[in-house]
Amino acid sequence: MAQVLDRPPVRPVAETPTAGRRTAGRLTLPTLLTLTAIVTIVPFVAMVLVAFTPPSGQTFPDALNPANFTLDNFAKVLSSSDIPRWTVNSLLYSLVSVFFVLLFAAMAGYAFAKKKFPGREIMFWAFLATLMVPFQATLIPSYILVARLDWVDSYWGLIVPTLANSQAVFLMRQFILQLPDELFEAAEIDGAPEWRIFTTIVLPLVRPVLATLGIFVFLWHWNDFLWPLVIGQSGQMQTLTVGLATLQTQAVPINQVMAGATITVVPSLLVFGLLQRYLTDSIAMSGLKA
């Protein structure tokens, strides 16, 4: 007992400079992320507020007043412009491109990952090298090719040149490489043809990465501006992004332009909302395998 009483009192451990920096870092990172999120979402909120505001109240103090909200801008822009036609063009351009880009990427990724043929590596890296070429550099040759095929101002010219996506093929090949070879060898021993192996084994297993790629490919085509601007030369072949740009040159009130821009966001939010579960599953699967 006397020995216990003779011991010096235990002093609390002082916080080291390193621990202090870690605590400050933990507090700073969420703050920076929150500020970045606020700065990013402010233009979107401003667009929606102005879209619901009458023309006389397009400034922000008036736009923040819920009593002034109206749907007239949406009714006017839908009745006075070709937005329904542009929406159909954008949906066709995006959905058809998503289907074929995913199909071709899955087929090419399976071939590059699991099939052995002469020149496979050279072909793959040559195909991958096209990622280094910017789209602007191939714009004029692509347009000349489409023009010689008489596809200008048509769905063929709008969709077909965008179906070969090297980035999608690369992501699909990397995912299929992780699948066990024994699975495909067992199917070949059972006599399953290649098309059956692809449809019953490969496609179900790559469903998470297909959903992830589908979201990105849809957004790429839905927001694409340059290629639809070059190919869609008539008002009937314009997409939403190109059509909204033409509204600004026709002295259309800014409230109606913002209403049209708000309409363009809705399909993107729906696609992301429907497929976000597969996106998180794909990210979680990649993290577990890493």
Side-chain angles (χ1 to χ4, degrees), residues 153-173:
D153 206 29
S154 69
Y155 290 115
W156 292 100
L158 186 65
I159 296 173
V160 172
T162 64
L163 299 183
N165 191 313
S166 54
Q167 189 174 1
V169 172
F170 173 72
L171 293 176
M172 196 62 68
R173 174 191 178 263

Side-chain angles (χ1 to χ4, degrees), residues 67-219:
N68 294 329
F69 281 8
T70 178
L71 295 175
D72 292 345
N73 298 317
F74 293 90
K76 289 179 181 176
V77 77
L78 287 174
S79 61
S80 62
S81 64
D82 290 332
I83 280 189
R85 173 72 183 189
W86 300 337
T87 304
V88 172
N89 291 340
S90 291
L91 284 175
L92 280 175
Y93 178 45
S94 303
L95 294 178
V96 174
S97 298
V98 166
F99 177 79
F100 284 105
V101 166
L102 294 186
L103 177 63
F104 295 158
M107 295 172 67
Y110 171 58
F112 283 129
K114 297 299 180 183
K115 296 287 132 185
K116 295 181 180 178
F117 52 89
R120 183 185 68 170
E121 295 300 321
I122 297 176
M123 290 177 60
F124 173 70
W125 289 108
F127 187 64
L128 197 61
T130 59
L131 283 173
M132 309 300 173
V133 182
F135 174 72
Q136 291 78 6
T138 62
L139 180 62
I140 295 177
S142 299
Y143 178 79
I144 293 174
L145 181 61
V146 169
R148 291 189 176 182
L149 291 172
D150 200 17
W151 284 356
V152 175
D153 206 29
S154 69
Y155 290 115
W156 292 100
L158 186 65
I159 296 173
V160 172
T162 64
L163 299 183
N165 191 313
S166 54
Q167 189 174 1
V169 172
F170 173 72
L171 293 176
M172 196 62 68
R173 174 191 178 263
Q174 297 305 110
F175 191 88
I176 296 176
L177 275 176
Q178 301 175 6
L179 302 179
D181 295 334
E182 293 78 7
L183 193 62
F184 301 97
E185 293 172 358
E188 290 176 356
I189 292 173
D190 290 341
E194 286 295 340
W195 182 250
R196 186 177 177 186
I197 294 175
F198 178 73
T199 55
T200 60
I201 297 178
V202 176
L203 288 183
L205 291 176
V206 301
R207 190 167 50 188
V209 71
L210 282 177
T212 305
L213 271 176
I215 294 174
F216 289 118
V217 172
F218 180 86
L219 293 179

Side-chain angles (χ1 to χ4, degrees), residues 233-270:
Q233 298 184 354
S234 67
Q236 294 298 310
M237 282 305 301
Q238 288 179 343
T239 59
L240 263 175
T241 53
V242 180
L244 287 177
T246 61
L247 287 182
Q248 300 181 24
T249 63
Q250 300 173 5
V252 177
I254 188 63
N255 304 72
Q256 296 180 26
V257 175
M258 291 299 174
T262 303
I263 293 173
T264 65
V265 178
V266 175
S268 302
L269 295 179
L270 287 177

